[in-house]
Amino acid sequence: MRTRTGFGLAAVASCVALATAVTVGRGGGGGTAPPSTPPKGPYVALGDSYTAAPGIPGRHGRPAGCQRSDRNYPTLVAARLALPAAGFRDVSCSGAVMADLTRPQSTDDGVNPAQLSAVTRSTRLVTLGIGGNDIGFGPLITTCVKSGVAYRLEQRIVGGTADGAPCRDRYTADGTDEVEGRIRTAGARLSAVLDDVGRRAPAARVYVVGYPAILPAAGTDCTALGLAPGDVTYLRTEERRLNTVLRERAQAAGAGYVDTYTPSTGRDACADPGVRWIEPLVPKAPAAPVHPNERGERGMADAVLRAPGVTD
């Protein structure tokens, strides 16, 4: 998701200060049957900040503005597959939207070439983690945090319902869910992207990597993000909806889908620092706000490696 430090998600800033700090494969390529043996590269990693892993030391690759970590899940996957340096390219970039897969992306420190330019007929493995910025998840989190702080202040002064959802009310004010509409649009864009990948790398195995759990799988308590109780439920629902669309579009294109949500359940931004995969607004471990920490990137790498066809 989008963050310029990057769902990147690049989410937000300090809950207290309310300053906004951030923005956030396919089973058989094209019509070609998937290879009968696990791919050994070349491997190309595409994606946004949940792939790039801003804030986790140390950085690698250019441009520096993409903020790729050498401990992100693509690097860990490549290491587990024992790929040589020439057999691995990580072109993910914090702040990327799907359009940045086919056009250069300007960052605060350099320009990232169109990510799909790294995908060629020799490519044998592709992972793609993107979509959060296309639905504006970073600004959505920012808006919901601000609404949550105002809601809790109002609760203290005048009282009111204990399960309020001011952010949900804002995005559904006209009787339709604005975020749900964005998710549908992102799904259509993903289908086009997967078709393009298939044309560029017809022999590659391609996997769409979903987003890990940002919020608790149940309940409405998440003081680490400052959200109103009802908005915890609302945002959880929207993230699940996004992952569902990513999975459905991947499967429709003949692609693999990597579920990172299930293994991260209970390890969200509101969980104990010793277990969580996602850091809250004020990170306790090296990571961008509301982004995976090193533990989360390891977990995402494990999920990719468990996907059918990656190692077996």
Side-chain angles (χ1 to χ4, degrees):
M1 308 199 193
R2 187 171 299 275
T3 173
R4 294 303 181 187
T5 53
F7 16 65
L9 167 63
V12 291
S14 164
C15 179
V16 177
L18 286 179
T20 304
V22 286
T23 311
V24 113
R26 173 179 175 112
T32 305
S36 58
T37 58
K40 284 296 184 182
Y43 165 33
V44 177
L46 314 168
D48 59 25
S49 58
Y50 269 54
T51 301
I56 301 176
R59 290 190 186 182
H60 79 100
R62 295 181 178 179
C66 284
Q67 302 179 75
R68 298 183 198 109
S69 170
D70 62 7
R71 300 179 190 177
N72 64 9
Y73 75 77
T75 304
L76 299 175
V77 168
R80 288 280 294 276
L81 294 177
L83 298 179
F88 169 53
R89 290 195 65 185
D90 178 5
V91 293
S92 63
C93 194
S94 295
V97 295
M98 291 190 206
D100 294 319
L101 299 174
T102 55
R103 70 183 182 193
Q105 176 189 348
S106 295
T107 74
D108 292 338
D109 190 357
V111 176
N112 197 43
Q115 292 189 33
L116 284 178
S117 65
V119 178
T120 68
R121 295 189 68 83
S122 67
T123 303
R124 292 297 180 266
L125 174 63
V126 176
T127 57
L128 171 60
I130 204 162
N133 291 324
D134 290 83
I135 71 168
F137 203 84
L140 174 62
I141 289 283
T142 301
T143 298
C144 291
V145 168
K146 292 179 178 178
S147 297
V149 172
Y151 167 82
R152 293 180 185 280
L153 180 60
E154 182 180 3
Q155 282 284 98
R156 292 179 181 179
I157 297 174
V158 299
T161 60
D163 59 350
C167 193
R168 179 198 62 200
D169 294 345
R170 171 175 177 157
Y171 285 98
T172 60
D174 64 354
T176 61
D177 188 332
E178 178 182 342
V179 178
E180 183 178 0
R182 295 177 190 173
I183 292 173
R184 288 196 301 270
T185 299
R189 292 172 182 166
L190 178 61
S191 292
V193 166
L194 292 173
D195 286 345
D196 196 347
V197 172
R199 288 190 294 269
R200 293 169 185 260
R205 291 188 175 183
V206 183
Y207 298 84
V208 174
V209 181
Y211 289 95
I214 298 171
L215 294 157
T220 60
D221 183 22
C222 187
T223 56
L225 292 183
L227 300 167
D231 286 334
V232 174
T233 301
Y234 174 64
L235 292 175
R236 175 173 61 234
T237 299
E238 298 296 7
E239 186 192 0
R240 286 175 171 172
R241 180 175 284 127
L242 173 60
N243 276 336
T244 295
V245 168
L246 296 178
R247 174 177 52 79
E248 290 173 347
R249 294 290 180 157
Q251 292 174 345
Y257 176 74
V258 178
D259 173 19
T260 66
Y261 190 95
T262 298
S264 61
T265 298
R267 301 175 181 274
D268 52 84
C270 308
D272 184 85
V275 301
R276 64 185 175 217
W277 286 17
I278 306 295
E279 289 300 307
L281 293 171
V282 181
K284 300 294 185 184
V290 197
H291 275 70
N293 54 30
E294 188 172 349
R295 182 185 299 109
E297 291 291 326
R298 288 198 304 268
M300 295 173 76
D302 289 342
V304 172
L305 290 163
R306 284 196 299 268
V310 175
T311 60
D312 55 23

